[in-house]
Amino acid sequence: MYVSDILKKKGAEVIAIGPGEPVAAALALMQDKKVGAVLVLNEDRSIAGILSERDLVLATNRLREKVFEKRVSELMTTKVVTCSSREPVCGIMGMMTAQRFRHVPVVDNGQLVGVVSIGDVVKSRIEEAESEVEALRRYIVT
Ligand code: AMP
């Protein structure tokens, strides 16, 4: 199973916001789209950063109500790790575990083609395990 298989099912939609947007806009977007992170894109669609629930929780603890005075660019992570759609899902899973993040933008030939979350990865691994069990069951029966 490859990252491209996940994207075939979930599509290429990327929930994104601009770096100059207020934090409240990012929160509203995350609530509206029911996602745990938003990708921060420059006007040319290059990746400026990623802003996740964890960034917002830690910033809220640090800044209290002043967190709402901040722009997305002030709280986001700027060194974003990406993957290619040709990578196997188990590799992405290892990367997420080792580096302790749950979202990976997918970039092919410099073009952003989607985002894979830990939820997508777990779902694909479960589906893979189920189809292996089914294949074995059929093999045993026949
Ligand atoms: P998450 O587990 O995805 O909510 O993110 C945990 C922390 O890692 C936050 O500080 C995020 O901004 C950061 N983060 C999330 N995804 C990535 C990524 N692909 N590359 C680098 N940092 C990330």
Side-chain angles (χ1 to χ4, degrees), residues 67-138:
V67 75
F68 286 105
E69 293 168 18
K70 299 290 176 189
R71 303 270 150 189
V72 166
S73 61
E74 295 173 274
L75 304 184
M76 69 188 186
T77 300
T78 51
K79 225 175 137 207
V80 181
V81 178
T82 63
C83 70
S84 126
S85 68
R86 292 175 295 277
E87 287 182 50
V89 173
C90 57
I92 307 303
M93 212 168 162
M95 184 165 93
M96 285 172 157
T97 308
Q99 302 194 47
R100 293 172 176 273
F101 50 64
R102 295 165 293 177
H103 302 87
V104 183
V106 187
V107 177
D108 283 345
N109 307 316
Q111 287 278 99
L112 179 63
V113 295
V115 172
V116 169
S117 75
I118 192 95
D120 301 323
V121 168
V122 170
K123 190 165 170 268
S124 94
R125 298 290 288 174
I126 290 171
E127 283 168 7
E128 198 172 31
E130 281 172 355
S131 68
E132 273 170 21
V133 168
E134 188 50 36
L136 281 172
R137 211 176 264 146
R138 251 186 265 130

